[in-house]
Amino acid sequence: MLKLNFHPSGRHYLQIPGPSPVPDRILRAMAQPTIDHRGPEFGALGLKVLADIRKIFQTQHPVVIYPGSGTGAWEAALVNLCNPGDTVVMYETGHFAALWNQLALKLGLKTEVLGLPGGQNWRCGIQADLIEKRLSQDTHHQIKAVCVVHNETSTGVTSNILAVRRAMERAQHPALLLVDTISGLGAADYRHDEWGVDVSMGGSQKGLMLPPGIAFNALSPRAIAASAQSRMPKSYWAWDEMLSMNKSGYFPTTPNTNLLYALSEACDMLLEQGLPLVFTRHQRWANGVRLAVQAWGLPIQCQDPAVYSPILTGVVMPDGVDADQVRQRILERFDCSLGTGLGLVKGRMFRIGHLGDTNDLTLIATLAACEMGMRLCGVPLAGSGVQSAMAFFADHPGA
Ligand SMILES: *Cc1c(COP(=O)(O)O)cnc(C)c1O
């Protein structure tokens, strides 16, 4: 065993917005022996997880499961739908949207990046009317797809996906709607079918409470039809062979068997509880954490309460304070990991994850670590965020 004595005693607080802590129940499920991925036992497991994951995406249509990280889900969607040189519209809501844009450019696609100037959308999410306006101008229907991020993990801002679909309908444009819900899935309400999404991208290590290593593409019938016309080079990511083998619960290449045990367990946990309860649990935690930040007198990165993320909160530091130094201090002194500022907001804010396998006391401890760490770094605080969060959690029992 590698012994670096990082965590001398007690539990590490993994409070980044993914990977999120993995529940013991899931760790135990993963510890089963790896089985023959062409045998009958695997077929039953494959059919179960392929059915369960549809319920999590709230879709009746196929979901493709890859061994891969979320980035693979981005690439898979684009190579299965596009032709070389196609134009896609990207909406810059934050660092992850920007990375997806870079990936599309590396694939040789043309991209058009929409957004308000000066990174304003990093604080308020997507303005669907900008998408409507751009699509209305595209009278020859050159734009193949609109790519948006549902829960921007770099900012703690969500976007209204149904509003995007409605904007596309008003423009009467046939572009496909591609949505990254890699950090939203299993934590924030997400409705693939009802919102008219063509491809939804998911990952294992955030709301699903699994280790990293699974990427998902949830498909619409339109996306499946469009993929038959796509001429982008692809092999590993190709949906066709995957979809035909998945019908009997199997995969073209070796699937990550033990992670699929974990996925099966995670779906059981989420579906036993019921998705509505899972979503309200996250909203309640997010409320408590935001009250704490407000009591500190610090700005929240998201400026529009209508699109606050239920998954994470971005805490903006006063001018002259390096948010990364604060984050580092909290990690070293209190063994609590927080998310770093990414891209435009690097050094300006840190991120508190409140997703998956957490509870009130874990979040109180996390807020205490933040409060002590900021005190150590000389950050002026208006009051105690811990007190506010305790009062909120005590007065608002969960369902
Ligand atoms: C985590 C994340 C990704 C990237 O996933 P990887 O697993 O790191 O490849 C993409 N988009 C969003 C919104 C994410 O939160």
Side-chain angles (χ1 to χ4, degrees):
M1 278 295 258
L2 181 66
K3 270 219 173 123
L4 294 172
N5 211 28
F6 274 124
H7 313 294
S9 62
R11 282 241 175 183
H12 175 70
Y13 280 75
L14 183 65
Q15 297 300 139
I16 55 177
S20 65
V22 181
D24 292 349
R25 189 172 152 185
I26 290 181
L27 290 173
R28 279 195 298 272
M30 286 177 67
Q32 305 309 305
T34 301
I35 53 173
D36 170 9
H37 63 293
R38 305 286 178 212
E41 192 182 348
F42 186 90
L45 171 68
L47 287 175
K48 177 183 184 295
V49 292
L50 287 161
D52 284 351
I53 194 64
R54 291 185 188 199
K55 296 179 191 152
I56 306 293
F57 277 99
Q58 305 200 55
T59 179
Q60 308 285 329
H61 303 293
V63 178
V64 174
I65 303 177
Y66 300 104
S69 85
T71 305
W74 282 341
E75 179 159 344
L78 291 173
V79 298
N80 276 287
L81 293 173
C82 295
N83 293 326
D86 269 354
T87 299
V88 298
V89 160
M90 296 278 176
Y91 199 109
E92 190 177 315
T93 45
H95 187 65
F96 286 98
L99 288 176
W100 192 7
N101 178 52
Q102 283 166 24
L103 179 144
L105 291 171
K106 286 181 201 163
L107 292 176
L109 297 169
K110 296 196 188 82
T111 69
E112 281 188 31
V113 181
L114 299 185
L116 299 172
Q120 288 175 64
N121 292 129
W122 288 54
R123 306 202 74 168
C124 67
I126 292 174
Q127 313 294 294
D129 53 331
L130 293 189
I131 294 176
E132 180 182 352
K133 197 166 142 215
R134 180 62 196 99
L135 293 182
S136 301
Q137 292 161 351
D138 181 36
T139 46
H140 291 91
H141 296 166
Q142 299 290 308
I143 294 168
K144 183 55 141 302
V146 172
C147 303
V148 297
V149 175
H150 169 228
N151 182 69
E152 216 352 305
T153 323
S154 61
T155 60
V157 181
T158 60
S159 285
N160 183 337
I161 301 306
L162 186 59
V164 173
R165 172 46 88 190
R166 293 277 179 265
M168 295 171 71
E169 284 166 0
R170 282 195 301 274
Q172 297 186 311
H173 196 289
L176 296 154
L177 175 57
L178 276 53
V179 182
D180 168 344
T181 187
I182 292 172
S183 62
L185 191 70
D189 196 1
Y190 187 82
R191 303 171 185 214
H192 177 84
D193 287 359
E194 197 179 312
W195 295 349
V197 181
D198 290 300
V199 185
S200 297
M201 281 130 267
S204 53
Q205 75 271 30
K206 316 228 168 142
L208 292 181
M209 309 175 288
L210 305 175
I214 306 181
F216 303 97
N217 274 179
L219 311 180
S220 72
R222 258 189 91 217
I224 296 170
S227 70
Q229 312 299 321
S230 154
R231 286 179 280 106
M232 291 286 281
K234 59 186 148 298
S235 164
Y236 180 74
W237 302 115
W239 292 335
D240 49 2
E241 208 183 336
M242 191 67 118
L243 291 176
S244 75
M245 289 205 63
N246 279 176
K247 286 191 180 121
S248 50
Y250 296 94
F251 291 76
T253 59
T254 315
N256 33 10
T257 310
N258 291 57
L259 277 179
L260 296 183
Y261 292 146
L263 175 61
S264 170
E265 196 72 15
C267 291
D268 286 351
M269 290 172 74
L270 293 169
L271 297 170
E272 276 162 16
Q273 191 163 42
L275 292 181
L277 212 68
V278 171
F279 303 146
T280 51
R281 185 155 52 78
H282 282 83
Q283 292 288 2
R284 179 175 165 280
W285 289 331
N287 282 336
V289 170
R290 284 194 301 265
L291 281 176
V293 181
Q294 282 154 5
W296 290 328
L298 295 169
I300 290 168
Q301 172 67 18
C302 181
Q303 286 180 321
D304 179 1
V307 289
Y308 277 145
S309 169
I311 286 117
L312 75 143
T313 300
V315 184
V316 180
M317 290 291 98
D319 283 340
V321 175
D322 178 356
D324 270 328
Q325 233 164 40
V326 177
R327 192 182 53 83
Q328 206 65 42
R329 196 71 168 268
I330 293 167
L331 177 60
E332 285 162 11
R333 279 292 296 272
F334 305 113
D335 205 14
C336 174
S337 287
L338 300 167
T340 183
L342 294 166
L344 271 187
V345 290
K346 180 156 185 50
R348 297 288 307 123
M349 60 165 237
F350 62 80
R351 296 170 295 146
I352 303 174
H354 31 80
L355 69 157
D357 190 36
T358 191
N359 58 28
D360 294 2
L361 288 188
T362 304
L363 294 177
I364 292 293
T366 301
L367 293 167
C370 294
E371 200 163 307
M372 291 187 286
M374 288 191 287
R375 188 191 169 99
L376 287 171
C377 292
V379 179
L381 300 177
S384 168
V386 174
Q387 294 286 346
S388 295
M390 286 199 301
F392 176 80
F393 287 142
D395 296 344
H396 298 80

